Amino acid sequence: MASILIADDEPRISGFIDKGLRAAGFATRVAATGPDALRLALTDEFDLMVLDINLPGLDGFHVLAELRGSGSRLPVIMLTARVELHDTIAGFEGGADDYLGKPFRFDELLARIRVRMRTEAAPAAAPELVHGDLRLDIRTRRARVGDHDVELSAREFALAETLIRNADQVLSREQLLSRVWGYDFDPGSNVVDVYIGYLRQKLGAERIETVRGVGYRLTS
């Protein structure tokens, strides 16, 4: 039975999630403070964490930073009322796997949890992806262009990985949102364009082609 850590200081919300997840067949544990959430997340007893940002003692961004800094790859879905683009990007840059705004529908949260659990259970991919002079090491999450190492955030690496796996194919913004962010993001958001800009700065502007009205393509 998969076990999920719920980190939220609002009893009404944590109780609602706890009850729903138990009914769906998950084991659960609730943490009401940031320090408790971090301590429990580091025990390796859980398969996923639902993490609120506004936690007492240590906010969700700091919990996530400490967790990733320890080397933990525990899947994290951030659940918060802070849904501005800069907050969303900060969550993904910090290593969040998904980001859901409040108010939310439980069925949507459950669907995202199941998608993330399937992703974690997927077979291991090839250790290295190569396209021209661009190399991505899947195991170490490192990127290299020619003779130079390039530091990418977790979300930038995931976007680069998706592009290189579909090299020379045009991918729409919707496809990139689905494959990189794992769900149908707000179609009005420009988060894909923002991250494409980041990759162009780090990998070379000429490497990623804009196909006007369609999407983006990694070129040779």
Side-chain angles (χ1 to χ4, degrees):
M1 178 185 296
S3 183
I4 297 177
L5 175 60
I6 304 163
D8 198 301
D9 67 328
E10 296 184 52
R12 180 178 59 85
I13 294 177
S14 61
F16 170 68
I17 297 172
D18 181 56
K19 182 178 179 180
L21 290 179
R22 287 181 178 274
F26 294 98
T28 60
R29 180 84 177 268
V30 175
T33 70
D36 282 347
L38 179 59
R39 175 179 56 82
L40 289 169
L42 290 172
T43 62
D44 292 329
E45 297 177 7
F46 300 94
D47 300 290
L48 181 144
M49 175 164 62
V50 177
L51 176 64
D52 185 27
I53 290 180
N54 296 318
L55 291 171
L58 196 67
D59 71 28
F61 287 130
H62 285 91
V63 170
L64 184 60
E66 292 288 337
L67 187 66
R68 294 297 182 245
S70 74
S72 172
R73 299 184 66 181
L74 176 72
V76 174
I77 297 178
M78 301 199 84
L79 183 65
T80 175
R82 293 166 60 172
V83 292
E84 296 297 325
L85 179 61
H86 65 274
D87 288 319
T88 306
I89 290 177
F92 284 132
E93 288 285 345
D97 297 277
D98 206 340
Y99 200 105
L100 180 61
K102 296 178 181 177
F104 65 96
R105 292 173 297 179
F106 178 77
D107 285 349
E108 182 178 4
L109 174 61
L110 180 60
R112 294 187 185 194
I113 289 173
R114 286 174 169 160
V115 165
R116 187 53 50 192
M117 301 292 271
R118 287 198 298 269
T119 300
E120 292 301 311
E128 187 177 63
L129 299 174
V130 180
H131 185 70
D133 64 347
L134 172 62
R135 294 176 177 271
L136 299 180
D137 190 314
I138 302 302
R139 290 173 297 190
T140 63
R141 314 302 286 177
R142 291 178 179 173
R144 191 171 181 84
V145 175
D147 297 326
H148 303 285
D149 290 327
V150 179
E151 186 170 343
L152 300 179
S153 70
R155 197 58 50 176
E156 289 167 351
F157 190 95
L159 180 56
E161 180 181 349
T162 300
L163 289 170
I164 200 172
R165 288 186 184 279
N166 299 275
D168 299 317
Q169 298 180 37
V170 179
L171 296 175
S172 68
R173 288 175 176 81
E174 291 75 16
Q175 287 175 309
L176 291 171
L177 284 168
S178 176
R179 297 181 190 186
V180 177
W181 279 262
Y183 61 96
D184 293 329
F185 202 81
D186 178 5
S189 169
N190 68 339
V191 68
V192 169
D193 307 278
V194 170
Y195 274 82
I196 288 290
Y198 292 160
L199 284 186
R200 281 174 168 159
Q201 291 175 19
K202 295 183 177 183
L203 304 181
E206 73 289 344
R207 195 180 301 273
I208 303 174
E209 178 186 357
T210 299
V211 180
R212 191 170 300 277
V214 183
Y216 297 101
R217 172 171 52 203
L218 184 69
T219 61
S220 301

